[in-house]
Each structure stands twice: as structure tokens, then as C-alpha cells.
Amino acid sequence: TSENKGDFITMKVKYEDRQKQKVIAITTDTIVVGVDIAKNYQWARFVDFRGIEHDRALKFKNSRGGFETILARIREICKKENFAKAVVGMEPTGHYWKAFANWLEKQDGIKVVLVNPYATKQAKELDDNSQTKSDKKDALTIAKLVKDGRYFELYLPHDVYAELRGLSTTRTGLNKRKNALKNTITAVMDEYFPEYEEVFKCPLSGKASRHILKTCPFPKFILELGEDGVTDEIKKAVKKTVGRKKAAQLIETAKESIGVDYGEEAAGLKLRLMLEELELLEKQTEELEGQMADALHQTDYADFLLSIKGIGIVTLAACLGELGDPTRFEDSRQMSRMAGYNLVEDSSGKNKSGTKISKRGRKNLRCVLYQMALTMVATNDEMKQLYHYLKTREKAPLRKMQALIVVSKKILALIHTLAKKKENYDPGKVFGHVRREQMKAAA
């Protein structure tokens, strides 16, 4: 759409300006160091602003002694070749880079930057026209990308945002493990008692269902207990009058089950162990989300951002954990780019393509924003109005997912504005005059 094209052109101009500034920052008195990170040993290469290599490649250990070795080499080259400053570039792959970057950041005269691993992969054949990959070669590729300004600034939060990021990452891991367990439990029940969901529509959400799954999950065990025995088991979990009714329903369903009738003891044990693990993970998640709420309220912006109707404590904490301090961004478009919402196109000559999001950003941030957008289009009047307008406008209406992405970007804009201005949410200021007139005309 023309609206998306406008955003694309604006972001392209801003990107080119930032790119120019990065190139200008690498001056004649700058030594650029490219480092290829690994678990045990790193390789470093040293180039000037023209890409000419200085001194020999250095292999150093991933330890304090190794860090001091490369720092000494950088100091030596600077003194010998009259370089006034040093820029060290590395790829943010895995987690091994963090200790080295954190240590370097504390050294005087050293600037640490990061290079996109995808850029390294694409550029590694430029010098020798060979697909050969080695740590030594990659270090030189990284150094040359940095001297061309193809890097981004390092951000290592050392305050409450570091806590939020750690908690958010842990919560993501817990949720993945819970989902994996739920899928495996469902698979076991589909094999041994596929009709179980006819009795309990949401097998893992109710206390009675979970207790049955632990004690008598399959037709063999249910029929052995009989209606009275199953009723007693249900009453151990919930004290309701529906126990006998559910027991009778289970008995009738078990009699007609097409589930397999072998290995029930082993499958039952597996099921019980998985349910116990799931309950432990749910308890850990509850504790973790409590800590996320405490950490969120230690930020300077919690009250302002929570004034946005539809934003929850846990999702906001997870969002700030991924973003860091929102006021460090000059514009909310930078936050959108970090999430991978920046628009890209594939056009050549007379062939003009549409635009789409790049998805080259924080996947977890996009997931959190998607959850926030889903909630807000249901509970926030302004976001609901925007969502409806985007899907139903006469010119270039958007599909559901496209509209949710626009809402997600609007959420980022709100977070950035309210944090910068330290103001509470005001429905009257959400949209500018043009957008209000567009939605009014479409209503």
C-alpha cells in the first residue's frame, strides 16, 4: 500500500543516514579488530579503515588470560602504527561472545560492536571467491564488515533490564517445555484412549481430569475400578456432584474405545511422570512471573505503560526484557526494526513486488507483541478501532495477521512515547489528525 511504501522509504532514508555515520566513525586513526567467537579459542584479525591488514592473525583462549593477550596486542599495534582508537567487532551467536564483550566494554579506548552473522555468511566469498569457512577467515570478514560500517551498536543491560531479559528468556524456555509436555501427553492419550476428550473437553485444565490421568487414564484401569471407584477418584480431586455423572460417562466411553491395549502400565507411568513435571513447571512459571512483576515495578516507566488498557504486567515485563530501556531508542521505528518488523521489497526493473516484514529481529519480541496485540484488539477501544479499520478500509485492506502487525508497531510507538514523556495513556492522543479522519470516513 502507499502507506507501507511511505514507511519503507522513510526507514530506508534513516537507515542510509545511520550507515553513513557508521562509515564516517571508522577514521584513519582507527584500528578495526574482527573476532570470530568460539567456545575455547577465538581468532582475531586487525585492519585499518581501508581494509589493509596489520600484524598477523591472533589465536587466543576464551579466558581472562586470553582476553588480556588480545588487549595487549591491540595496545601494541596502536602504539606502533599510531592508531588512536580501536573498534572490536564480533558476531552475537550463541552465548560465548557475551563474556568477552562485557570485559572489553570496561577497557579504555575500546569500542565493541556487533555484526549480523547473516552478513558474515554473505560476505565471506568476496575476497577469495571460495565457499571455504574457517574461524581465521571469518575474523577477517567481520573486520572488513565493521570498517564498511556494517555493524550495529552493542547493548548489554546492567540494571533492572538485565534482570527482565533473563527472566523473560527463562519464561520462554519454561513455556516451550510445557508445550512440549502437553503435546506428548496428548499423543499418549490419542494412542491409548483417543475418546478421552469426549468426556473432558480440556483434559489438562481441570483438576478432576488431571487426577484421572494420573491414576486411571486408560480404558483398562477405568473398567477395573468401575463406576464407584472412578467416582471416588474424581472426588479426591474435586468435591462436586458431577463426579458420578463423569464416572458413568467415562465407563461408557471406555467400553467403546479403539485405543491400543498393550503396554498400559508403562504408558501410565510415563503419563504420571509427565504430569508431575508439568505441574512443577507451572509452579516455577508462577514464581517466575511474580519476580517479573517485581522487576517491572523497579523501572521508571511501569505505571505509565500499565495505564495502557489491555497491557498486562507479565507481557509488558517480557516486552521490556527484550527491548531494554525504551528511551534509548531515538524513534519507535528502531524498536520495530529490532523486532524484525521493518519492511523489505524485492523489485527489479519493471518488476515491482509488494512489501513484507523482514523477520530479521528478535523472534521472542515478535511473539510477545503478537500476544499483546491479540489482547488489545479485544479490550482496548482504540486498538480495536484501528484493527477494524485496517481490515475493512476500501483501499488496500489488510489481512488479519497484517493488521495485527500494524497494531504491534503501534503498541511499540505507544511504549516509546509514554516512556519518553513519562505520561499516562490518553485515548485522545493515540491517533493523529490524519488517522482519525481516515477511520471516521471508513466508519
Side-chain angles (χ1 to χ4, degrees), residues 342-358:
N342 54 302
L343 298 174
V344 295
E345 66 176 355
D346 184 13
S347 301
S348 178
K350 295 182 180 180
N351 296 322
K352 300 294 181 182
S353 74
T355 56
K356 60 181 180 179
I357 62 171
S358 70

Side-chain angles (χ1 to χ4, degrees), residues 395-411:
K395 185 178 180 181
L398 300 182
R399 296 189 296 272
K400 177 182 176 181
M401 186 59 70
Q402 291 173 320
L404 286 172
I405 290 172
V406 176
V407 172
S408 297
K409 294 172 74 172
K410 187 63 179 178
I411 292 171

Side-chain angles (χ1 to χ4, degrees), residues 6-7 10-11 14 331-338 342:
D7 284 346
T10 301
M11 292 184 68
K14 285 180 174 291
D331 191 282
S332 64
R333 288 189 180 93
Q334 292 175 294
M335 299 163 74
S336 294
R337 191 178 187 88
M338 184 179 184
N342 54 302

Side-chain angles (χ1 to χ4, degrees), residues 119-159:
T120 305
K121 182 179 179 181
Q122 294 296 99
K124 69 180 181 180
E125 296 184 30
L126 292 177
D127 289 331
D128 57 7
N129 193 32
S130 170
Q131 304 97 319
T132 300
K133 183 189 184 307
S134 69
D135 294 346
K136 187 176 180 181
K137 177 182 175 180
D138 286 352
L140 182 60
T141 303
I142 292 168
K144 291 187 176 182
L145 286 169
V146 173
K147 70 94 177 170
D148 290 335
R150 304 190 184 282
Y151 61 85
F152 54 98
E153 303 294 334
L154 172 71
Y155 175 67
L156 288 175
H158 290 85
D159 48 16

Side-chain angles (χ1 to χ4, degrees), residues 215-226 230 264-268:
T215 55
C216 52
F218 308 139
K220 173 185 174 181
F221 306 133
I222 292 170
L223 295 175
E224 286 176 354
L225 283 174
V230 174
E264 290 103 325
E265 295 292 342

Side-chain angles (χ1 to χ4, degrees), residues 175-316:
N175 285 337
K176 285 181 179 178
R177 288 159 61 190
K178 285 192 294 183
N179 289 335
L181 277 173
K182 289 177 181 179
N183 290 337
T184 307
I185 290 170
T186 300
V188 171
M189 293 306 295
D190 286 345
E191 182 178 356
Y192 285 88
F193 194 2
E195 301 84 2
Y196 186 79
E197 288 189 9
E198 296 176 9
V199 182
F200 293 99
K201 302 300 180 185
C202 300
L204 295 176
S205 61
K207 291 182 180 179
S209 176
R210 285 201 178 190
H211 185 72
I212 291 296
L213 290 175
K214 285 181 183 178
T215 55
C216 52
F218 308 139
K220 173 185 174 181
F221 306 133
I222 292 170
L223 295 175
E224 286 176 354
L225 283 174
E227 188 174 319
D228 290 337
V230 174
T231 302
D232 291 340
E233 291 297 337
I234 292 176
K235 287 184 177 180
K236 289 179 183 177
V238 290
K239 299 184 183 301
K240 292 183 179 179
T241 57
V242 297
R244 183 163 293 278
K245 182 179 178 182
K246 282 291 180 184
Q249 193 177 354
L250 269 175
I251 293 291
E252 292 303 314
T253 306
K255 289 178 180 178
E256 303 297 326
S257 178
I258 59 170
V260 300
D261 58 357
Y262 52 83
E264 290 103 325
E265 295 292 342
L269 175 60
K270 177 182 179 180
L271 203 59
R272 180 172 61 80
L273 294 177
M274 287 192 294
L275 284 163
E276 290 174 356
E277 185 180 356
L278 179 61
E279 289 171 356
L280 174 61
L281 290 173
E282 288 172 342
K283 183 179 179 182
Q284 291 174 341
T285 301
E286 184 179 351
E287 179 185 354
L288 182 71
E289 290 179 348
Q291 290 194 27
M292 291 177 74
D294 293 340
L296 175 64
H297 287 292
Q298 293 175 34
T299 66
D300 297 329
Y301 321 111
D303 293 337
F304 305 116
L305 300 182
L306 288 173
S307 67
I308 304 173
K309 186 178 180 181
I311 283 188
I313 292 175
V314 173
T315 51
L316 178 59

